[in-house]
Amino acid sequence: MRTTRPRTDRIRIRTTSLVATVIAALAAVLLPVATVQAASAAGTVRHGLSRPDYSYADAVREAVWVETGRDDDGDGRTDRVAADIVRPREPAAAGRKVPVIMDASPYYSCCGRGNEGQLKTYDDQGRMVQAPLYYDNYFVPRGYAVVLVDLAGTNRSDGCVDVGGPSDIGSAKAVIDWLNGRAKGWTSRTGSRPASARWSTGDVGMIGKSWDGTIANGVAATGVRGLRTIVPISAISSWYDYYFQQGAALYGSGPDWLSDYVESPAARARCGAVQQRIVDGAPRSGDWTRFWSERDYTKDAGKVRASVFAVHGMQDLNVRTKHFGQWWSALAAHGVERKVWLSQTGHVDPFDFRRDAWVSALHRWFDHYLLGVRNGVEREPGADVERAPDRWTTDRSWPPAGTEPTRLNLRPGAVPGQGGLSTAPAVPGSTAAFTDTPQEWEEDWAAGADTPSDSRAVFTTGTLKRDLRLSGSGTVTVTASSSTTSAHLSAVLVDLGPDTVRDFLGAKEGIVDLATRSCWGESTEGDSACFRDTATDAADVTHTVVSRGWADLGHAASAWQGRPLVPGRAYTATVTLAATDHVVPAGHRLALIVAGTDGGMVEPPDTTPTVTLDLARSRALLPLVGGARGLAAAAPHAPAAQRVADVPPAPRRTATTVPTGR
C-alpha cells in the first residue's frame, strides 16, 4: 500500500518583527511590479498571494438572521435564516471592505462537516466559537470574511427543508442579497434591530461538499449578482439523478427521509405540509415530475455568472460523476469559466486526499476571483486528473482536445454471453440474453467477466497494444425485449487487467486517517486550525470499474412516465454513462457489461425478467481520446473468443444514500 508521508506542525505564523518588515520593504523595491501589489482589503499581496496580515484571535464574530421572503413553516412571519460570520476586525476599523467565502449547509447541527464531523459551537451570547472546517482559520487572516449559513429549517434557521428546492436555494441566495444590500437582516431571530453588511464588498465565493456544494450549484443557477465563483465538491446537479437514473430507482430512501434527517426539532414540528409536498412530488415510480424540474440546475446553466472550480471523485457511488458530467457540459455550452479536479477517490474532500496542493490552489482561486489578484490562475490548465494513487496529470481543457465520441458495436462471440466490442460491423440477427439477478452487482460481474454466466452479457476488446484513454460521458444504446412486464438495464465499463488504485470500496473511500495533525491558519481556544492528517488507502486489483449507468426499460419511450412492457416486444433505450477519465493501459482489455439490476445500487423491478439484446441494433458511443483512429491503433483486431476462468466473486457493497459530505 502506498502512503503519503505525514507532515506535522505546519502552522502559518504571521511575522511582525522589525527584520521581517525591512525584508518585505526591500522585496517591494527589488521585485518586478507585476509580482507586488499595493495593500488591498486583504492587506498585503505578494507574489500573487494574499498574506495573513490580520488577527484571527481578534476577528469579529457575529450572527445575522436574513429574511428569505417566504413563510414555509406557516408561523405567520417571514422566515429568517441564520448566518454565522467570522471577519477580520482591522479592515472595518480602517473603512475597508472584504469579500466573503460562504458555505451554506444543512449539517451544522445534525451531522457535522469534514473528515472529523465538526459542528458549530456557540458562546453564551450566541456567537459562533467553532466554525467547522479550515476556511475561517486560513482565510480570515488573509482578508476574507467567512459566512456559514444554516439552510432553512436547520440549526438556528426558520423555515423548512425542501431538499434542493426553492427554500434551500432561496435561503442561501437571500444571504448573498443581504451582503449586497438587497435583503433585510436582523441581529436576532425574532428581534427588530436591523443588521447591515457595510463591511462587505458584496463579492461572494460559495464552497462546499455534497449537499453544501449542491446549494452552490443551485444558487449559481439563479444568476444572483454578487456571486463571483463557486467551488462545488462532489455536488449534485439534478436531484432526480440522485434518486433515479432514467426511471430506475437508486437504492435507498426518498427525499422526504432526507429532509426529516436534517431538520431541526422546531422545524420538524411545523413543516408537515412541506414534508407532504415532498412525498407527493417525488413518487418512487421514477417518473419525472415538476418537483424534479425545480431541482434540476443544469437547465439553468445559462444564467450562471460565476466561475466554477469543480472537484469530484470518479469512484463516488454516493453523488455519482453523472452529476459532474452533465453540469460541466451545460456550463461549457454557455461559455462559463471553469476548472476541474477528478480524483480516484469516492466521496472525499480534496483537503483529505491532496491537502497541500488543494489549499494552495483554492487560495489562488479565491484571491483571483474575489480580490482581483492578477495571479494567472485563469490561464492555467483546466483539469487535474489522478491517474494512479497520488499521481496527477494536467490537461489544458477537459475533455482534452482530440476526444471524439466513437461508436463500438456489440458482436457475438464463440461462447454465449461472451462477445466482442469493436468498430467492426454489427452482425445481423445476433443476440445475447441474461436473466436479472439482483443478488449480484457490478463488482461481481467485472470479477467474473471471463466466466460465462446467465446474469450478464460481456463484450470486450482484444488485448490493447497501446494505451486507450476515455475522457467524458458516453452512452450505451440497446434494443432489448423482456420476458416480463418490467426490466432494468445496467451498463458498466470495466478495465480488465491488474492495477493499484485507491481503495474506494474501503471504509473511507480511498483514504486512511493518521495519528498526526497539520495546521492551516490560526487557532483560538475554541477553534483549532489543526486537522487530522490522512494518507492514501491503496489496493491491488484485477479489474477497475470505469463508469456505469442504469435505466428502466419501461421509461425508454418517455422520462415523464414509465409504462408496463409488452413481453417479447423490442424497445430501444439509451443508457447514459457517468463521466470518467481513465486510461486503459496496453496489455489490458476494455469491457462493456450489460445486465439487469446492479445489486446494492439499483432497486430491482417488480418482476424477474430475462432480457434479450438485439446486438445488431445495439452499440456503445464512448468518448475516446483520438477517436476511432486511436482505438484502431490500440486494438487493431476484433477479439477472439475469450478464455473461461474460475474467478471468485467480489465482496459486496451497498452504496450509501445520504450525502453527508464528511
Side-chain angles (χ1 to χ4, degrees), residues 604-625:
D606 56 8
T607 63
T608 304
T610 294
V611 176
T612 301
L613 305 177
D614 181 344
L615 299 186
R617 299 167 63 193
S618 302
R619 62 192 178 277
L621 197 65
L622 303 184
L624 301 184
V625 178

Side-chain angles (χ1 to χ4, degrees), residues 358-576:
W358 171 245
V359 175
S360 176
L362 189 63
H363 183 179
R364 297 178 68 245
W365 188 266
F366 280 148
D367 275 1
H368 178 71
Y369 288 102
L370 297 181
L371 292 175
V373 176
R374 296 179 180 178
N375 55 22
V377 71
E378 77 281 10
R379 297 188 300 274
E380 294 177 354
D384 280 26
V385 180
E386 189 176 25
R387 290 276 162 244
D390 300 314
R391 183 171 66 81
W392 293 76
T393 62
T394 61
D395 287 288
R396 174 57 53 187
S397 60
W398 194 90
T403 303
E404 299 176 3
T406 305
R407 174 170 174 160
L408 289 85
N409 293 315
L410 282 54
R411 294 171 55 83
V415 178
Q418 304 289 115
L421 184 66
S422 77
T423 56
V427 179
S430 59
T431 63
F434 56 83
T435 299
D436 193 288
T437 310
Q439 297 78 19
E440 298 180 3
W441 79 307
E442 60 191 43
E443 286 291 326
D444 299 314
W445 303 332
D450 290 326
T451 303
S453 171
D454 294 334
S455 65
R456 76 287 184 278
V458 182
F459 307 91
T460 66
T461 65
T463 300
L464 300 182
K465 299 182 181 301
R466 297 184 184 178
D467 292 354
L468 181 65
R469 179 179 176 184
L470 298 93
S471 185
S473 302
T475 60
V476 175
T477 298
V478 298
T479 297
S481 59
S482 170
S483 63
T484 63
T485 57
S486 62
H488 287 167
L489 296 171
S490 297
V492 181
L493 288 180
V494 184
D495 175 347
L496 296 177
D499 204 352
T500 299
V501 300
R502 283 190 185 263
D503 187 7
F504 69 94
L505 294 178
K508 306 207 78 167
E509 302 185 47
I511 64 169
V512 291
D513 292 334
L514 302 177
T516 57
R517 290 180 176 271
S518 57
C519 305
W520 299 84
E522 298 183 20
S523 300
T524 62
E525 183 177 349
D527 194 322
S528 174
C530 304
F531 297 86
R532 186 178 297 135
D533 290 314
T534 64
T536 297
D537 184 14
D540 294 328
V541 297
T542 59
H543 63 270
T544 305
V545 173
V546 174
S547 182
R548 69 277 288 172
W550 311 284
D552 172 55
L553 194 56
H555 281 77
S558 170
W560 299 101
Q561 187 174 13
R563 302 289 186 186
L565 302 173
V566 176
R569 176 182 292 179
Y571 297 84
T572 298
T574 296
V575 182
T576 302

